[in-house]
Amino acid sequence: SRASRPAMPTCTSKWSAWEGITTHCNGPAPATLAGPLNSNVRRQVIQLTSFEARILEAFLRGSEKPLAILREQAAAATVASRKHTGVGAYTDFAVPESLPEVAPSEMIFGDVNAEVDGVENGVAILLYVEKGYLSFLEFATYLGEWPEDPKLSGLGYFREEPMQPNGFSLIPVTDRDPQAVARALKGAHGQNAA
């Protein structure tokens, strides 16, 4: 007699400009993924869009050890959620907690300068690290609407130019400014103006 094997889950994938590749699986799943063998589950895996991936890659460029740890997290990260606000968007990450945490555990990076098609007055982009893990990207227009399907037309960095008192101006540059990276790597609580 033939031994019966558990049924395999059925999965379908689709692509959309904002969500990237999404995979939905229905049916029995192995115990390692969803509890007891043969339990019915519905899982959704959302990958980064090429737009998000290029922005994240730009933020994580550099030889510093914390950036290497964050790149390792980014390689395993998926999208937990996305929210379009009209004038911006948020992309929240899911990172396996089995990966190493980064120190400092709270950081904010804001030195990536992106030009987005259809956004004439510029965008602000921030990458947040919380509790030692990549947390989310925040996108906001300075004026006008955030596109449903953002496309990069230019990508570079900002250099911080000190201003008085205790402030700084952002100057567009091609290469990443070591001082801007060092400031972000001090941690969210040590990030005073340049």
Side-chain angles (χ1 to χ4, degrees):
S1 84
R2 277 169 71 175
S4 67
R5 295 188 327 195
M8 296 301 293
T10 57
C11 299
T12 57
S13 294
K14 70 176 186 170
W15 182 88
S16 74
W18 182 241
E19 292 186 347
I21 298 171
T22 47
T23 303
H24 298 277
C25 297
N26 293 300
T32 57
L33 295 178
L37 194 60
N38 291 328
S39 66
N40 287 320
V41 297
R42 178 171 169 79
R43 293 180 308 280
Q44 181 177 15
V45 178
I46 304 173
Q47 301 298 326
L48 295 172
T49 65
S50 62
F51 174 81
E52 293 163 331
R54 288 184 63 198
I55 297 293
L56 189 57
E57 178 186 337
F59 272 124
L60 302 181
R61 192 170 293 148
S63 60
E64 294 82 358
K65 185 174 180 170
L67 294 175
I69 293 169
L70 292 171
R71 283 192 298 274
E72 182 180 353
Q73 292 180 10
T78 57
V79 174
S81 66
R82 286 191 179 94
K83 181 178 181 185
H84 189 280
T85 65
V87 295
Y90 293 94
T91 301
D92 295 301
F93 301 115
V95 178
E97 290 183 3
S98 60
L99 293 174
E101 292 182 29
V102 69
S105 62
E106 310 287 325
M107 292 184 268
I108 302 169
F109 294 86
D111 65 323
V112 169
N113 177 22
E115 295 174 21
V116 178
D117 288 348
V119 180
E120 296 180 19
N121 295 302
V123 298
I125 303 173
L126 298 173
L127 171 64
Y128 291 81
V129 174
E130 296 176 334
K131 299 179 183 174
Y133 293 96
L134 290 172
S135 186
F136 65 96
L137 281 168
E138 178 181 11
F139 306 94
T141 63
Y142 293 124
L143 183 66
E145 295 291 315
W146 181 255
E148 288 288 333
D149 182 14
K151 301 276 189 239
L152 280 176
S153 55
L155 188 60
Y157 293 97
F158 287 116
R159 179 176 49 82
E160 298 174 353
E161 187 68 33
M163 294 177 53
Q164 296 300 328
N166 299 326
F168 60 92
S169 175
L170 298 174
I171 309 300
V173 294
T174 304
D175 297 321
R176 196 157 198 198
D177 178 25
Q179 290 179 338
V181 175
R183 184 163 129 11
L185 293 176
K186 287 180 183 177
H189 302 292
Q191 293 179 328
N192 295 323

